[in-house]
Amino acid sequence: MEHPGFFKRAGPFTLGLVAETVGAELASNANPDLEIVDVLPLDDAGEGHLSFVDNPKYLPALETTKASACIVAPKFVRKVPSGTAALRMREPYRGFAKAIALFYPESVRPKTAGPAREGDSAPGVHPSAVLEPDVIVEPGAVIGPEAHIGRGTTIAAGAVIGYRVHIGRNSYIGPNAVVTHALIGNNVVIHSSVAIGQDGFGFAMGQEGHMKVPQIGRVVIQDDVEIGANSTVDRGALRDTIIGEGTKIDNLVQIGHNVIVGRHCIIVSQTGISGSSELGDFVALGGQVGVVGHLKIGAGAQIAGSSNVRGDVPAGARWGGTPAKPVRLWFRELTLLRQLAERKDVKIDQEEGGDGE
């Protein structure tokens, strides 16, 4: 059965109303009475959909989009396809935030479990929640409306399972973990105080202040994933955040919105992956790695601990350093710097009458 989603969509709205709401100027050839039914990414959008572009990296997607309308900066209007109406504004990301709030007004505030009601099947379990046989709900756990928990799964003490969350079979949700806006597979282990499905860090910055961008995506965690204590996985803004089958995540890891992690990856403690980055299968990230947003790390790549990844990494590569680069080049740089520093020390000692030791 297809999941019904976590947020109710409003509308449809006319293009003229959308433009007025977001503060954009319609192109002269745009039909203000055109019906807009939803907001989607450029490559998923079709007839009746609104999208936006703010980052030049996505201009190729803009040129091929099938969206009925798109919010763009004036400098990108020429890139908008002939079948797509342009909504011009100086700050497209801010306009996008307003459009999301228009179509998904409930998304401005997170949905968790809701209040307990008389007649709950167990303390903290909402009557509309579905628990298969052999589910263990420990004291103090809360399971929200329309949640579904599979056979043999344990919800540990103090954990919170939010509205419409689905969890598969033989999984474990640790003490004080919070799972919202998420679909979780079988044999998944989520350790204590993990937070899954909270808002991604999306703000349209500007002179008027930082406007919150509602996040209407989900978190999808596939089978056999393990997530260490105090790690966080943000839900997607429009797309889903996805953790692939068999991936193992250490403690204190942050995974941003729209991130896609492939199958059987290893992510070590204190690593941070910024929004919309993608990791291929069997990628390994050492401890304290930082990955900037909107880049791709190819399948089988390995990144050394404490590295900062600022560009795409080819499949099978081994990189390290800040900024990260192929390890052979990184080691050569470190060797040259050490040799230069040692020569400098010798010269200083000689000038000062020392023996260079």
Side-chain angles (χ1 to χ4, degrees):
M1 183 180 70
E2 185 176 355
H3 190 274
F6 293 100
F7 299 106
K8 187 179 298 184
R9 186 173 68 238
F13 302 104
T14 66
L15 183 60
L17 177 61
V18 172
E20 180 182 352
T21 301
V22 305
E25 177 187 359
L26 277 177
S28 58
N29 62 341
N31 175 13
D33 296 322
L34 179 67
E35 189 174 84
I36 302 297
V37 299
D38 203 355
V39 182
L40 290 177
L42 287 164
D43 50 0
D44 291 337
E47 185 177 353
H49 297 149
L50 173 71
S51 194
F52 92 106
V53 63
D54 190 45
N55 189 330
K57 185 174 182 177
Y58 295 101
L59 288 178
L62 171 64
E63 293 174 351
T64 59
T65 188
K66 304 298 183 184
S68 290
C70 187
I71 305 172
V72 295
K75 62 182 177 181
F76 296 149
V77 168
R78 292 174 300 170
K79 302 285 188 179
V80 177
S82 58
T84 301
L87 285 73
R88 296 187 295 259
M89 62 183 302
R90 186 171 57 87
E91 298 177 302
Y93 193 43
R94 185 172 288 265
F96 164 70
K98 293 179 179 179
I100 290 288
L102 174 66
F103 280 91
Y104 294 90
E106 293 181 349
S107 66
V108 178
R109 292 282 182 233
K111 275 190 177 181
T112 50
R117 298 183 181 182
E118 185 178 353
D120 285 0
S121 57
V125 179
H126 194 276
S128 64
V130 177
L131 278 61
E132 293 184 357
D134 302 321
V135 170
I136 297 173
V137 181
E138 294 184 353
V142 176
I143 299 178
E146 301 179 45
H148 191 289
I149 314 296
R151 180 191 299 270
T153 288
T154 294
I155 310 299
V160 176
I161 308 302
Y163 168 72
R164 283 186 178 173
V165 166
H166 282 206
I167 299 174
R169 295 179 173 178
N170 300 311
S171 291
Y172 173 81
I173 310 299
N176 298 317
V178 178
V179 182
T180 64
H181 311 96
L183 309 178
I184 295 177
N186 302 319
N187 304 307
V188 171
V189 175
I190 295 174
H191 288 281
S192 62
S193 299
V194 168
I196 291 176
Q198 64 281 344
D199 290 2
F201 192 72
F203 294 90
M205 296 181 290
Q207 295 180 348
E208 304 170 26
H210 308 318
M211 175 180 290
K212 184 176 181 64
V213 179
Q215 312 284 290
I216 61 171
R218 311 173 299 181
V219 173
V220 177
I221 297 178
Q222 297 177 0
D223 296 347
D224 301 308
V225 169
E226 184 159 346
I227 300 179
N230 292 296
S231 292
T232 59
V233 184
D234 296 344
R235 71 176 182 268
L238 287 179
R239 304 181 187 276
D240 294 336
T241 300
I242 300 174
I243 310 298
E245 173 189 356
T247 285
K248 311 302 181 186
I249 299 172
D250 199 357
N251 304 329
L252 295 167
V253 169
Q254 157 64 11
I255 296 178
H257 58 186
N258 307 328
V259 166
I260 297 176
V261 176
R263 299 177 305 117
H264 305 292
C265 292
I266 296 292
I267 303 174
V268 182
S269 181
Q270 297 184 7
T271 288
I273 305 175
S274 299
S276 300
S277 286
E278 297 183 21
L279 278 60
D281 297 342
F282 292 95
V283 166
L285 304 183
Q288 297 184 327
V289 166
V291 179
V292 303
H294 304 274
L295 58 77
K296 295 183 178 182
I297 299 178
Q302 299 178 10
I303 309 297
S306 299
S307 300
N308 181 248
V309 183
R310 301 183 184 178
D312 291 350
V313 179
R318 297 175 65 230
W319 281 24
T322 299
K325 55 187 71 66
V327 290
R328 182 174 297 179
L329 176 59
W330 179 40
F331 290 161
R332 188 179 302 140
E333 286 183 356
L334 293 175
T335 300
L336 291 172
L337 285 171
R338 179 178 56 81
Q339 292 172 347
L340 179 62
E342 289 174 348
R343 287 198 297 267
K344 186 73 171 178
D345 287 343
V346 170
K347 184 176 180 181
I348 290 172
D349 286 342
Q350 290 173 345
E351 290 175 350
E352 294 178 349
D355 58 8
E357 295 181 356

